Amino acid sequence: MSALEQSDTAVRSNGAAQGQAGRIEVHNPATGEVIGHVDDMTAGQVEALVERARRAQPEWEAIGFDGRGEVMRELRYWVVQNRERVLDVLVKENGKTREDALLAEMFYVCDALGFWAKHARKYLADERIKTHSPLLMGKRVVLRHRPHGVVGVIGPWNYPLTNSFGDCIPALMAGNSVVLKPSEVTPLTNLMLGEAMREIGAPPDALLVATGAGQAGAALIEHVDMVHFTGSTATGRKVAVEAARRLIPVSLELGGKDPMIVLREADVERAANMAVQWSMSNSGQICIAVERVYVEEPVYDEFVQKVVEKTRALRQGPPGTPGGVDVGAMTNAPQVEIVRSHVQDALDKGAEVLVGGKASQGPGQFFEPTVLTGVDHTMKIMTEETFGPTLPIMKVRDADEAVRLANESRYGLNSSVFSKDIAKGEHVARQLHAGNACVNDALMNYLALEAPFGGSRESGLGARHGAPGIRKYCATQTLLITRFGPKKEFGMYPNKAWQAKAFERVMVAMWGRKPKRRK
Ligand code: NAD
């Protein structure tokens, strides 16, 4: 079945092809050809999907962690069995290499399906809370987590599986039904996953996919009980405003401008390999890509020379069979223009391009892997999210200057420090204003599903992974349970002067002594 037929079938079986919706063309960015069409759903169609999900939620919650875990494992089996078909669509709609689709998306999602199936129960178990208050002696206090109801997940185009479907997994395991609104640029893979849920016989409508552009996402926020958003900081701010208006919980995974710091005693070869890999992979369209590098003076020349050699050796082109190319296409045409403008702005202000620097002439959308030096913080390429295959490198005097420049940013997503002196590397990492920091590594922290991953500053609110990554999909309920109680407790009506006096005496006895201060 062709990708076009697949997408149309998936849309029909999603039950939303009828109505007034317009159609969105989906392109293969590596070739320019049209590979499918999906509905640009109206607000009414999105609302209808949320209603269906709402009706399905009680049954989904009722099957419990074991039942939902079975569905997740069944889905993982489906993904593995259908991997060629899924990878084909993923590569075609995104333009990324097959290796990136396999490792950073399919492998991640299969791992996450098993992880949440196994650990959701533990993270969401009731917590017995021991209280300090003498007034609560003999009473039981319990914190429980229960699903919000219907969760809306809105995703970007750079990782259709990992950053759209991936965020549905803990929401589903918590007992919510989910309506997923993938990016209008890359909706096909997620439609396949929605189709897969039906194929494996999952309870109907526990997961539904709403296709469409920004207005479909906005309509989703109008009706769900909680929203998880991954995308740009600009859109994330709008999502937060709408969620605040409705007073529903929101978690935001937004843009970044991740710094790498290479200290004088670093393993320069490893640092250069990491810098090239994680700035050029997926054409730099990774929220946690290395977007700028600060290198201490003594190793600057060696680092630049290695990065230039390694970048020149990269093979770019339309992704085909495994091992064919290293860097694929740019997924979204407007992004190519942003990358081009950042490079031009840097050149206008005195930077030098050592490798690459240009967009290709079509038919596909490509931007050459690009290395720049002579950059500074007056340039967009050092301060704004470029989201392309660019690596600007800046020379710094010492670690303090590197930290100051790394922190001179409105973002705070990931970061990395390279040093053979581990204590020094960790000391520097701890000074970085970023939600995540790696020492002698980059990006790999994303695979630690037990550890919260989230952005600080304008890179986001909340976290995915770990306990917070599933508890955010739940409301809490604190229970106070009194098993044996007198008919009437001390201090109850009618008010009596002697009781108030007794409370006052207790208070003065406990807290009435002047505290000592340290000299
Ligand atoms: P985007 O903000 O343009 O779009 C993201 C999603 O929001 C799309 O599905 C879009 O249709 C929808 N949308 C647009 N307007 C909306 C509105 N008013 N209300 C609700 N939804 C709306 O982002 P993008 O260009 O698709 O993705 C790239 C961005 O995503 C980059 O900034 C990247 O850093 C970020 N990102 C962050 C992470 C992370 O984990 N922090 C992961 C991947 C991508």
Side-chain angles (χ1 to χ4, degrees):
M1 192 191 278
S2 73
L4 169 60
E5 284 163 332
Q6 279 165 4
S7 64
D8 284 348
T9 308
V11 172
R12 273 198 301 281
S13 51
N14 200 32
Q18 68 281 66
Q20 299 303 310
R23 300 284 278 168
I24 294 175
E25 268 184 2
V26 184
H27 294 93
N28 179 339
T31 61
E33 69 179 312
V34 176
I35 54 167
H37 294 85
V38 297
D39 275 348
D40 190 8
M41 286 189 186
T42 62
Q45 286 177 311
V46 174
E47 183 181 359
L49 285 187
V50 176
E51 271 318 302
R52 276 169 54 188
R54 194 172 293 292
R55 282 195 294 276
Q57 192 270 334
E59 186 201 340
W60 178 246
E61 185 180 352
I63 65 172
F65 289 112
D66 289 339
R68 295 193 291 275
E70 273 172 22
V71 172
M72 297 298 125
R73 291 189 181 98
E74 191 72 31
L75 187 62
R76 182 176 59 183
Y77 178 71
W78 184 98
V79 171
V80 174
Q81 295 308 305
N82 291 275
R83 59 190 179 280
E84 290 304 324
R85 201 153 69 86
V86 178
L87 286 173
D88 275 348
V89 174
L90 191 47
V91 168
K92 274 190 182 138
E93 70 173 344
N94 180 281
K96 62 175 60 195
T97 61
R98 214 169 174 83
E99 286 79 358
D100 194 65
L102 180 66
L103 296 172
E105 302 236 51
M106 189 171 279
F107 190 89
Y108 171 89
V109 159
C110 287
D111 188 33
L113 282 163
F115 176 82
W116 292 113
K118 183 171 175 194
H119 296 289
R121 185 199 301 274
K122 175 187 74 187
Y123 286 134
L124 301 182
D126 283 1
E127 289 169 53
R128 176 83 187 265
I129 293 178
K130 284 208 179 105
T131 154
H132 74 291
S133 174
L135 301 178
L136 295 176
M137 253 167 40
K139 298 175 195 287
R140 188 152 60 92
V141 180
V142 177
L143 177 71
R144 72 179 271 244
H145 305 272
R146 59 176 174 193
H148 287 299
V150 184
V151 168
V153 173
I154 302 176
W157 43 256
N158 60 330
Y159 280 92
L161 265 189
T162 298
N163 289 146
S164 293
F165 187 75
D167 288 311
C168 300
I169 302 168
L172 286 166
M173 274 310 297
N176 300 282
S177 52
V178 173
V179 179
L180 165 63
K181 209 299 278 173
S183 168
E184 60 274 31
V185 182
T186 55
L188 305 181
T189 315
N190 283 300
L191 281 169
M192 284 181 89
L193 269 283
E195 182 65 17
M197 284 285 277
R198 282 179 289 277
E199 238 178 71
I200 63 169
D205 297 351
L207 172 80
L208 290 166
V209 181
T211 54
Q215 92 292 332
L220 189 60
I221 302 168
E222 280 300 315
H223 301 288
V224 291
D225 304 309
M226 185 268 172
V227 62
H228 170 87
F229 173 85
T230 306
S232 64
T233 296
T235 312
R237 194 169 268 124
K238 290 184 201 161
V239 168
V241 167
E242 290 312 303
R245 193 177 53 71
R246 287 202 57 226
L247 278 181
I248 57 168
V250 59
S251 75
L252 304 169
E253 298 285 351
L254 309 176
K257 188 74 193 170
D258 295 354
M260 173 187 274
I261 294 175
V262 183
L263 298 176
R264 61 188 69 208
E265 66 286 343
D267 177 340
V268 178
E269 176 70 15
R270 178 172 172 82
N273 277 326
M274 287 279 174
V276 173
Q277 179 75 37
W278 299 122
S279 59
M280 305 303 168
S281 187
N282 200 21
S283 290
Q285 304 166 117
I286 314 180
C287 56
I288 47 177
V290 174
E291 285 242 347
R292 52 194 170 119
V293 189
Y294 303 98
V295 188
E296 266 197 276
E297 220 160 0
V299 289
Y300 174 81
D301 288 340
E302 184 189 353
F303 179 82
V304 170
Q305 181 223 325
K306 285 180 186 291
V307 162
V308 165
E309 267 169 29
K310 293 171 197 297
T311 307
R312 282 209 180 108
L314 294 175
R315 299 156 304 158
Q316 185 175 40
T321 48
V325 290
D326 302 308
V327 183
M330 296 281 300
T331 310
N332 200 16
Q335 199 64 42
V336 183
E337 187 43 39
I338 292 172
V339 179
R340 201 201 55 72
S341 73
H342 283 196
V343 171
Q344 190 56 51
D345 173 70
L347 287 173
D348 292 346
K349 290 172 181 163
E352 194 185 347
V353 166
L354 302 185
V355 189
K358 293 189 301 299
S360 71
Q361 292 300 314
Q365 293 157 193
F366 293 87
F367 199 96
E368 295 170 347
T370 298
V371 178
L372 300 103
T373 52
V375 290
D376 61 40
H377 277 215
T378 64
M379 301 170 188
K380 290 178 186 170
I381 202 132
M382 293 300 281
T383 55
E384 293 181 18
E385 187 180 48
T386 307
F387 223 52
T390 52
L391 191 63
I393 308 171
M394 192 169 167
K395 191 192 288 182
V396 291
R397 268 190 318 277
D398 52 27
D400 287 346
E401 187 182 19
V403 169
R404 182 179 63 75
L405 288 167
N407 285 339
E408 201 176 275
S409 173
R410 63 191 181 105
Y411 294 110
L413 197 52
N414 216 347
S415 55
S416 54
V417 181
F418 284 78
S419 169
K420 283 191 203 153
D421 180 340
I422 304 299
K424 184 175 169 193
E426 187 176 333
H427 177 69
V428 169
R430 283 172 182 267
Q431 295 175 65
L432 298 178
H433 295 301
N436 313 276
C438 303
V439 177
N440 293 327
D441 226 311
L443 273 85
M444 284 298 132
N445 50 324
Y446 201 86
L447 301 182
L449 299 184
E450 300 79 0
F453 171 92
S456 62
R457 295 180 165 173
E458 294 184 25
S459 288
L461 281 179
R464 53 164 71 95
H465 302 164
I470 188 161
R471 289 188 184 151
K472 71 184 180 187
Y473 293 124
C474 293
T476 57
Q477 183 184 40
T478 301
L479 298 165
L480 177 87
I481 297 158
T482 302
R483 184 183 292 229
F484 304 110
K487 301 273 182 260
K488 196 172 175 184
E489 299 218 0
F490 183 77
M492 291 176 81
Y493 287 143
N495 287 342
K496 293 191 188 89
W498 70 268
Q499 282 184 345
K501 203 74 206 158
F503 266 124
E504 198 180 323
R505 282 208 188 104
V506 170
M507 196 180 77
V508 171
M510 288 200 309
W511 304 312
R513 235 169 303 144
K514 189 171 166 51
K516 281 189 196 129
R517 298 186 71 172
R518 279 178 301 160
K519 288 189 185 117

